[in-house]
Amino acid sequence: MRGTKATEHGRCLKCRRPLRKPSSDGYGPKCRLKVRRNARQDTASPKWQVAKALELLELGAVIPLRQNRIFLVVADDGTEVYRTAATGQCNCPAGLRSVRCYHAVAAQYVAAA
């Protein structure tokens, strides 16, 4: 079959296009470029948050839900999964204290791409 090879590796988490090559982060090459470009342009977040957010993106720990408005983000130690909005709301301990966390920063990068 002609189309089966492209769908063997799944679909891009952002645009849902079929991936031709396996991707560790779950994004296609164009979506990955957009996400990284948005991360480089961010000047409002501290550098350590940007670094942690990029690490989450590279590990494929940001899973979009509901038209790229709500995201599931895996914690950096892999023990928790947090529900995060691109607007900056997160149910992690820092997010519950109304502190902007790196989960929300990562979700914002994916939503902006």
Side-chain angles (χ1 to χ4, degrees):
M1 289 186 176
R2 188 171 186 214
T4 58
K5 185 165 182 150
T7 59
E8 284 178 9
H9 303 297
R11 295 186 171 273
C12 174
L13 291 174
K14 177 85 175 125
C15 66
R16 304 302 301 159
R17 289 185 179 157
L19 295 175
R20 294 182 186 161
K21 296 180 182 177
S23 171
S24 62
D25 59 2
Y27 297 110
K30 290 182 181 179
C31 290
R32 184 180 306 111
L33 180 68
K34 289 178 184 178
V35 168
R36 289 184 179 167
R37 185 180 308 133
N38 286 332
R40 285 194 303 265
Q41 293 174 354
D42 185 17
T43 58
S45 300
K47 289 186 179 185
W48 69 269
Q49 280 188 340
V50 173
K52 293 284 268 186
L54 286 175
E55 181 182 350
L56 288 176
L57 293 171
E58 289 174 4
L59 293 173
V62 181
I63 302 163
L65 302 172
R66 296 195 199 152
Q67 302 168 348
N68 287 328
R69 292 183 297 169
I70 305 293
F71 298 86
L72 293 178
V73 181
V74 180
D76 57 352
D77 59 359
T79 60
E80 298 285 332
V81 177
Y82 300 116
R83 185 166 292 195
T84 306
T87 58
Q89 301 159 339
C90 184
N91 68 347
C92 71
L96 294 175
R97 292 190 313 263
S98 298
V99 177
R100 183 155 173 97
C101 62
Y102 59 92
H103 308 112
V105 174
Q108 180 185 11
Y109 292 159
V110 174

